[in-house]
Amino acid sequence: MTTLMRNYVNGEWITTGRTFPTINPVDGSHVADVSEADQDTVDRAVKAARAAMDGAWGKLTAAERSALLHKVADGIEARFDEFLEAEVADTGHSYPHARAIDIPRGAANFRIFADLIKAYPNEAYEMAAPEGGAVLNYSHRRPLGVVAVIAPWDLPLLLLSWKVAPAMAAGNAVIAKPSEETPATATLLAEVMAEAGVPPGAFNLIHGFGPNSAGEFLTTHPGIDGITFTGESHTGTIIMKAAAERVKPVSFELGGKNPGIVFADCDFDAAVDGIAKAAFSNGGQICMCTERVYVERPIFDKFVAALKRKAEALVPGRPADPGVDMPPMISAEHRDKVLSYYRLAVGEGATVVTGGGVPQFGDERDEGFFVQPTIWTGLGDTARICREEIFGPCCHVAPFDSEDEVIARANDTHYGLCASIWTQNLARGHRVAHAVQAGLVWVNSWYLRDLRTPFGGVKMSGIGREGGMHSLNFYSEPSNICVKF
Ligand code: NAD
Ligand code: 6OD
């Protein structure tokens, strides 16, 4: 029997008149049907969230919310295997990847914000009043109110909970919309919210697409007090226009075209390994993946040869296949987009070092959405494949001759999400990290995360920072209370 995933509004499971299917990207098979939220469902979710703010949820103390969010993390951990199966079926991620990253980070996101909200400080300033006497200014923080959370498909549970957890920790009621490609773990999360005793309306889940569907209905709704969004920069511009109509705050984590910079004095093996991870992890479907690699000329040829060996050693396949570390693209549409860039690269005159096509399996995986990990060389920085986000397992590698040159080339982009720098000269590592225009810079590592640190991008890669207290700052608003005595 086909599973039907439903919307969760005001503590109730809601079906609507329309459904859409989800597809397993490993073999193109049908995973489940999903009930698409219509305007009426979104209206009900907004009303329920507002009522929760005015009711039981809004009356909880920070310590009580913290305890509930720890119970949500407990619930994810208790149902770990169900979350694992759900995430793997939607995304085709390998079991080791989903077991090590997707599901544990879902629980960890709830735990960290459950802890941080209890340690969230307020500001206080004393001064002398001009006419005598003293004055105490202190800040009092309130939640924004009803917060819309819109998430993408690349790390579904991780990225949805990265926003839901701090928003709820700060006391907001949430309406979450996962990607239409990956609704399964969000649906399980709604079950866990109910089991944990989260009051009705504090967490609502709506399913659907973006334009003329749940995403647009939610982000244009007059009852929303703030929008937090992860996805493409272009979608961000549309959502920002909607938010501008009502002057609502936005937090955006958007696209990137992230540089990896390899100096000749790097630890060579560590740099090859790190750049291979940065380019190919999760099939290049992580916003922090590297699609532009710059290598100092003396080690360029040796580096390209070593990266080629890494790419060719990657194993595409089913999530449970031994050694698999190259999942499919999320959908046929995304596979076609990536392949269109593979053709474009050849059209632009690139040398294809490896890949450039589709692996052949001779079994059901040929119905899935796999592409080959691909490395190009030989293009100038103005080539489209060096400027546009592809979001696939591919990178262009170019030589450079000086530090100033590579900084200028790394910064010559509309994006600014992250960068990685590989050098054993730490003074140079710090210097280049300061000069690169990106919200996140790793020196001698990639995607090494401390959840307390600011996370986000500059330029078209985002607005604002989340992570640790930065998240709590976005999801709450201070009022200054000035007391004269
Ligand atoms: P997307 O922008 O197509 O969709 C993201 C979400 O927005 C989905 O839930 C979608 O249904 C919804 N949406 C689409 N159009 C909408 C509209 N008009 N109104 C409201 N909602 C709308 O992105 P995607 O393809 O799901 O994800 C890949 C993109 O996300 C890449 O660009 C990647 O770089 C980016 N990303 C960024 C980060 C980050 O932290 N900076 C993290 C992950 C992914
Ligand atoms: O690790 C995180 O907190 C995070 N937001 C990762 C984003 C990954 C993008 O695909």
Side-chain angles (χ1 to χ4, degrees):
M1 200 183 70
T2 307
T3 308
L4 177 68
M5 293 185 209
R6 293 171 294 171
N7 304 282
Y8 182 72
V9 172
N10 204 22
E12 291 169 10
W13 292 97
I14 308 248
T15 48
T16 61
R18 281 166 75 125
T19 61
F20 61 92
T22 52
I23 303 296
N24 185 329
V26 173
D27 56 11
S29 62
H30 182 205
V31 175
D33 287 327
V34 187
S35 175
E36 182 181 354
D38 51 16
Q39 182 73 59
D40 179 57
T41 309
V42 175
D43 288 344
R44 287 167 66 179
V46 174
K47 262 194 204 116
R50 182 70 56 201
M53 291 304 297
D54 296 338
W57 175 249
K59 293 187 176 50
L60 294 185
T61 63
E64 288 166 333
R65 292 196 304 274
S66 166
L68 267 180
L69 295 182
H70 273 300
K71 281 179 82 176
V72 172
D74 294 342
I76 295 172
E77 285 163 357
R79 298 178 64 180
F80 190 95
D81 287 347
E82 283 174 78
F83 275 91
L84 187 69
E85 294 302 333
E87 200 76 307
V88 165
D90 270 357
T91 59
H93 291 177
S94 70
Y95 279 101
H97 185 283
R99 214 174 259 126
I101 299 176
D102 297 72
I103 313 306
R105 263 299 299 278
N109 287 343
F110 282 99
R111 294 227 186 272
I112 181 160
F113 292 109
D115 287 341
L116 284 179
I117 194 62
K118 291 196 291 184
Y120 192 29
N122 272 323
E123 294 166 86
Y125 302 97
E126 284 184 48
M127 66 178 195
E131 67 279 20
V135 176
L136 172 66
N137 288 283
Y138 69 93
S139 56
H140 168 70
R141 284 202 165 257
R142 308 188 173 83
L144 293 176
V146 177
V147 170
V149 175
I150 313 270
W153 46 258
D154 45 324
L155 297 170
L157 179 66
L158 185 161
L159 289 170
L160 189 92
S161 55
W162 178 239
K163 291 171 176 294
V164 167
M168 291 181 70
N172 299 279
V174 160
I175 303 167
K177 194 199 87 62
S179 167
E180 56 275 26
E181 309 284 358
T182 52
T185 46
T187 309
L188 284 177
L189 180 62
E191 292 181 16
V192 165
M193 291 277 177
E195 289 158 7
V198 170
F203 174 83
N204 305 276
L205 174 70
I206 57 168
H207 290 298
F209 301 83
N212 199 26
S213 182
E216 181 179 328
F217 301 151
L218 182 59
T219 50
T220 56
H221 200 289
I224 295 297
D225 299 309
I227 303 174
T228 178
F229 166 74
T230 302
E232 283 188 15
S233 299
H234 175 68
T235 312
T237 65
I238 296 169
I239 292 176
M240 197 163 175
K241 283 180 196 147
E245 285 290 316
R246 295 183 180 79
V247 198
K248 295 303 172 203
V250 294
S251 176
F252 282 172
E253 296 179 346
L254 306 177
K257 190 75 181 174
N258 308 308
I261 302 173
V262 184
F263 287 94
D265 64 3
C266 68
D267 173 336
F268 186 82
D269 291 342
V272 174
D273 194 51
I275 291 289
K277 285 198 175 79
F280 305 126
S281 288
N282 207 32
Q285 301 167 113
I286 298 179
C287 58
M288 287 155 308
C289 281
T290 294
E291 293 184 354
R292 296 185 290 148
V293 184
Y294 299 100
V295 181
E296 206 167 2
R297 199 175 298 274
I299 62 165
F300 179 79
D301 291 339
K302 185 178 163 201
F303 188 92
V304 171
L307 192 64
K308 175 177 189 283
R309 283 193 295 277
K310 288 272 182 198
E312 292 175 352
L314 291 165
V315 181
R318 304 176 192 89
D321 286 347
V324 69
D325 49 10
M326 180 52 53
M329 301 296 94
I330 190 69
S331 62
E333 187 189 355
H334 188 55
R335 186 254 334 257
D336 293 348
K337 174 185 159 185
V338 172
L339 289 177
S340 76
Y341 278 101
Y342 283 15
R343 286 190 297 275
L344 179 66
V346 174
E348 289 187 302
T351 299
V352 181
V353 175
T354 187
V358 173
Q360 298 301 314
F361 299 98
D363 57 31
E364 84 287 357
R365 288 171 293 178
D366 291 335
E367 302 303 312
F369 313 132
F370 291 90
V371 299
Q372 289 175 329
T374 295
I375 300 170
W376 303 289
T377 56
L379 292 181
D381 295 345
T382 55
R384 278 183 56 200
I385 64 126
C386 296
R387 302 196 71 76
E388 298 173 17
E389 183 185 51
I390 301 170
F391 221 53
C394 53
C395 61
H396 180 265
V397 192
F400 72 88
D401 294 300
S402 77
E403 191 177 305
D404 285 348
E405 174 206 335
V406 78
I407 290 169
R409 292 172 70 185
N411 288 340
D412 181 17
T413 167
H414 295 302
Y415 291 112
L417 185 56
C418 74
S420 68
I421 298 163
W422 301 85
T423 174
Q424 295 197 75
N425 176 343
L426 267 190
R428 191 208 314 259
H430 286 289
R431 197 165 59 233
V432 177
H434 287 210
V436 168
Q437 295 160 354
L440 308 153
V441 183
W442 283 283
V443 179
N444 296 327
S445 67
W446 175 78
Y447 198 7
L448 187 56
R449 292 280 288 118
D450 178 328
L451 304 186
R452 298 168 298 183
T453 57
F455 185 98
V458 305
K459 303 190 205 169
M460 287 194 74
S461 290
I463 295 183
R465 293 291 177 276
E466 298 201 33
M469 298 299 182
H470 300 271
S471 296
L472 299 179
N473 286 345
F474 173 72
Y475 294 109
S476 65
E477 274 189 315
S479 295
N480 185 61
I481 316 286
C482 178
V483 182
K484 183 169 181 302
F485 59 99

